[in-house]
Every structure is written in C-alpha cells, then in structure tokens.
Amino acid sequence: MKLKTITPKVYKLYNSYQHYDWGTKNKNAFIPMFIGDEVKKNLPYAELWIGAHPRLSSEIKIDGELVSLEKIIEEFPNEVLGKNVAKKFKNKLPFLLKLLSANRALSIQTHPDKKTAEALHKKDPKNYADNNHKPEIAIAIDRLNAIVGFKSYKEILKVLSRHKEFAKAVNYTKVSKVLSVEEQKQFVKNLYTDIMNFSNETLEFVIKSILRKIKKLNRRTKEEKEFLLQYKNFGIDVGLISILLFNYIELKPEEAIFTGAGTPHAYLKGNIIECMANSDNVVRAGLTEKFKDVETLLSILNYDSSNNKKMIPPSAKTKFTYHAPISEFKISKNSFEKSKKQTKKNAGIKIILVTYGNLIVEWKEDSVVLSREFEQGEAILIPAHLESYKLTNKIPTKFVMVEVP
C-alpha cells in the first residue's frame, strides 16, 4: 500500500502478542483479559508489543487496511515522529512499550550499553538482532516480584555466613569486613564470576547443599522461598544462586523500577507495563532454555548496589512521571477521577495506553471536530503533525503516556 501522505489525526494501534513459555495462560491469561481479547486454550500470553520494532511492529488502519507502524514511520518520519525526534533517532521510533505477564521467572539477564550492543550485533546478529541498548522501566499493574541488582557487600556476607557449604565451595569462608567501596565491588565481581563458571559437579553440590539448608530452616527469607520455587521449575541451574545474591523487590500497583545497562535482574511473577529503548537485546545467563552468553554478561555487569530503588508515585497526584536517565522516552501515569478535559499542544509523537476506564480523544480534521473513545487495554497513536488534541472522560480513567523528552 503506497501512501502519498498520512492524515494528522488520532489512530488506534493494533498490537500483537509474544507467546513465550513463561507467560500466563488459560484462566490466568492476564493480557488478553486486560485488553478484552479472546483467550486461546493452553497458549501462554507473555507480552504485548506496542511500537515499531522490526520483529513485531504495531499497525494502524488507513482506508480500512492495516499498515505497519514501522513502515509508516519509514515513509513519513517527520509527520509521525516530529522533525527533532526523526533527526536525533535516524527516522526510528526510539522506544517500545509492552504489557508483560509472568507466570514464572524470566531468565537471569542484563542489557548492553549502546557501544556494546553495536559490537554484539556485528559479531552475532542471530542472537543480538539489533544494535541498540535497552534501558527499561517496569511499572506494576497489580504487582511484580523481581530480583534486581546485587545486594550490598554486607548483605552478601550474611548470605555466605548463612549458607556455609556454599561459602566453602567458593572459598569465601573468611572475608574481611573492612574493605573500600571499590574493593567490595571487586569482591562481588570475583565471587559472581566464580559462581557463573562452576563445573557441573560443583554447581550440583552447591545447589543441593543450599536446598538442604533451606529445608531445615523454620524461618525462610523471601529469597530462600523463591529459591525453592524456582528449583521446582528449573532443577540444577546456576541462575538459582542469583536469587540469593540479588535484591528481592516487590512492586505494588503503579510502583516502578528502572534497570539501566549492566544491571542484572529477573522478573519472577506479576503483570506490568514495561517501557524501554526500542531494542530486544538480552544477555542471558540462567533460568532459561534460550541462548546464554555468560562471558558477555560477566564483562558488562554493574556491581554497584546503590542504583536499584523503587519509584513510588504519591497517591494524591493525578500525574506522575517516572524518572529514567535516558533520552529515548519519558513515561507518565495519569488519573482522571472526575469528568475532566485537557487540551494538549503537540510537537512530537505520543503513545497512550488506557489502563482503566475509558478515554475520549478529540481533534480537528479539516476544521471538523472528531472524537474517539478508547477502552481499557487500547493503545493510541498521536502523530507529531497533529498540532493539538483534547483528552476527556466520562468515568474514572487511568492511562500511561509515552513521549520523547
């Protein structure tokens, strides 16, 4: 379908699923139920992609036909993205929005920075299909349990002290508590490197010794309970040890966590909105049947334990922007409790996802005022060349908006 132009108007985005095996299914299939779609039997619904990634682009309807958003942006970058965004990001949508629903743990993973992503893509395009970095924000819809970033040096010493057979296996039975910050990071790095390079025999010994210890405990930590649960899913797997060494995080609705390049993490269970730079680059090292790249993961990990704080929006605020120290996107949660009308001036692309209630968007087309109502789970594209629009509601409504700073 060859287009001469794209009309400055509001578009509904038609989005597609990723059916990874860790997704929720049947009566627990959160994503299709959230967006009002049919649930197919025994099919896992892991992610819904909203954006223009080449692997799975959203679509918009033009003259009754569905057209790839990626293709539309290629043909009309200034109109859809805005001139500044198009120039800065080489005519590409710089972010990707997702709904993610985890029934069990995702892989132990991290994401490369831009320079490393370019090198990995050049060296191994099969496993690193694009050349972009992937900093991301996870916002809980109902909840999220996750492990994110390394525990502090002192907390890791407590883990080793509590699990003495594990400590013996890695030769860390006697450790000085008086170390500089850099020495502490080096200690954690050396420890984790040793663990990730365990022989099969040593790994089995360590996992089983930790299991025996946990089963004898009357009071178990959340990490130890998670270790038992994921052992049932994965058996002898080096990724299990990360559960004890990473920070265990529980997000309540609308709370969020940011993971930058090199931050190790794994989502364990829950339903979230996720926004990231437009990439699918993942470096994995455990709790997965997918391609693992331990050497790369160890070379890019961030061992700083101070950058993994939750973002908690004030309950009274009708708008809250989640902070991310990146240039590809900013994402905000918005609440219209009572009937409200907001007029928005527009200069760059925006994508809106309705998370509760319904949102009415008004705009002018050839001097005629038009409007469209969007329900929970529907996504909206506001192209840059639509100069203004209005947001209204009839019932209490919530939505997230993603734009380029």
Side-chain angles (χ1 to χ4, degrees):
M1 183 179 186
K2 187 66 178 175
L3 299 173
K4 292 182 179 180
T5 186
I6 178 171
T7 305
K9 58 179 284 188
V10 172
Y11 294 89
K12 177 182 175 178
L13 286 167
Y14 295 84
N15 312 299
S16 298
Y17 299 108
Q18 295 283 20
H19 298 286
Y20 306 134
D21 61 1
W22 47 260
T24 52
K25 57 187 177 181
N26 299 329
K27 66 179 182 179
N28 297 317
F30 175 82
I31 297 174
M33 290 190 287
F34 184 77
I35 69 174
D37 201 1
E38 176 191 359
V39 178
K40 294 182 180 177
K41 190 175 180 182
N42 296 328
L43 184 64
Y45 291 85
E47 296 179 351
L48 187 80
W49 286 26
I50 306 168
H53 193 279
R55 274 191 63 200
L56 194 68
S57 177
S58 299
E59 297 173 308
I60 60 174
K61 223 173 235 187
I62 298 178
D63 296 333
E65 288 188 40
L66 287 173
V67 185
S68 161
L69 180 59
E70 182 191 17
K71 181 176 181 289
I72 290 293
I73 291 173
E74 284 177 1
E75 292 187 23
F76 307 103
N78 292 338
E79 291 85 348
V80 180
L81 299 175
K83 290 182 180 179
N84 292 338
V85 175
K87 183 178 179 181
K88 184 174 182 179
F89 295 102
K90 299 178 180 177
N91 297 340
K92 302 288 184 184
L93 180 65
F95 61 82
L96 176 63
L97 185 65
K98 293 181 182 179
L99 286 174
L100 183 150
S101 182
N103 181 54
R104 62 169 176 77
L106 281 67
S107 56
I108 302 297
Q109 62 184 260
T110 193
H111 306 298
D113 61 21
K114 191 76 169 71
K115 185 177 179 180
T116 306
E118 289 170 353
L120 288 171
H121 176 64
K122 187 175 181 180
K123 177 184 175 183
D124 185 3
K126 178 184 176 183
N127 291 301
Y128 301 102
D130 61 71
N131 64 357
N132 203 10
H133 64 165
K134 193 173 177 266
E136 60 191 28
I137 282 179
I139 305 168
I141 298 175
D142 49 12
R143 65 168 178 131
L144 175 68
N145 295 346
I147 48 174
V148 181
F150 285 97
K151 291 180 182 293
S152 70
Y153 172 71
K154 289 182 180 179
E155 290 172 319
I156 287 176
L157 291 190
K158 288 179 183 177
V159 173
L160 293 172
S161 176
R162 188 172 172 89
H163 297 280
K164 292 184 170 56
E165 292 298 319
F166 169 31
K168 286 179 186 176
V170 288
N171 295 317
Y172 290 105
T173 52
K174 293 181 181 179
V175 182
S176 170
K177 294 184 180 181
V178 185
L179 294 178
S180 69
V181 172
E182 286 307 311
E183 288 173 330
Q184 290 177 13
K185 287 182 185 178
Q186 190 61 48
F187 168 85
V188 177
K189 181 177 181 179
N190 292 343
L191 172 65
Y192 199 65
T193 300
D194 288 349
I195 291 166
M196 297 308 290
N197 287 305
F198 275 161
S199 67
N200 291 338
E201 294 78 10
T202 302
L203 177 62
E204 184 172 0
F205 169 78
V206 169
I207 296 293
K208 288 186 174 179
S209 68
I210 293 173
L211 277 172
R212 285 194 297 271
K213 175 64 184 285
I214 293 175
K215 287 177 179 178
K216 289 178 183 177
L217 295 170
N218 292 323
R219 299 184 67 181
R220 298 165 182 161
T221 65
K222 290 178 180 178
E223 292 91 331
E224 287 165 347
K225 291 175 183 176
E226 194 67 42
F227 187 100
L228 291 179
L229 175 63
Q230 299 305 335
Y231 175 75
K232 291 178 181 177
N233 290 330
F234 295 98
I236 304 296
D237 189 301
V238 70
L240 292 173
I241 301 174
S242 297
I243 296 170
L244 302 180
L245 301 181
F246 293 0
N247 297 297
Y248 188 89
I249 289 175
E250 296 175 300
L251 297 183
K252 296 175 183 175
E254 298 184 343
E255 293 181 348
I257 188 81
F258 173 75
T259 51
T263 300
H265 61 283
Y267 301 147
L268 302 172
K269 194 175 183 67
N271 304 303
I272 64 172
I273 295 164
E274 193 178 22
C275 193
M276 65 209 70
N278 194 9
S279 172
D280 196 34
N281 276 327
V282 181
V283 186
R284 302 179 183 86
L287 304 186
T288 182
E289 297 300 320
K290 293 182 179 180
F291 172 73
K292 302 183 203 45
D293 190 349
V294 173
E295 183 180 352
T296 297
L297 180 126
L298 291 173
S299 71
I300 66 175
L301 279 183
N302 179 354
Y303 294 91
D304 189 343
S305 63
S306 62
N307 295 324
N308 309 301
K309 293 180 180 177
K310 293 193 290 187
M311 289 176 267
I312 304 175
S315 57
K317 273 203 169 185
T318 57
K319 180 176 180 179
F320 178 82
T321 300
Y322 297 92
H323 174 67
I326 54 173
S327 62
E328 283 83 357
F329 68 87
K330 69 175 181 180
I331 182 169
S332 61
K333 78 165 190 77
N334 302 264
S335 301
F336 289 178
E337 291 303 319
K338 297 178 181 178
S339 183
K340 192 172 182 177
K341 182 173 285 193
Q342 283 188 353
T343 300
K344 301 275 191 180
K345 295 293 183 183
N346 193 41
I349 186 170
K350 294 172 179 63
I351 288 180
I352 297 171
L353 174 66
V354 182
T355 57
Y356 182 79
N358 57 37
L359 187 67
I360 301 163
V361 189
E362 294 181 4
W363 72 97
K364 276 188 180 180
E365 197 173 323
D366 296 328
S367 300
V368 178
V369 176
L370 301 175
S371 69
R372 184 166 182 176
E373 190 169 322
F374 295 89
E375 305 291 333
Q376 176 180 296
E378 291 190 306
I380 307 157
L381 170 69
I382 310 287
H385 68 333
L386 180 63
E387 293 180 355
S388 67
Y389 59 95
K390 291 180 182 179
L391 301 178
T392 65
N393 66 306
K394 295 176 182 175
I395 61 174
T397 297
K398 295 182 180 182
F399 60 95
V400 295
M401 178 182 289
V402 189
E403 53 196 312
V404 182

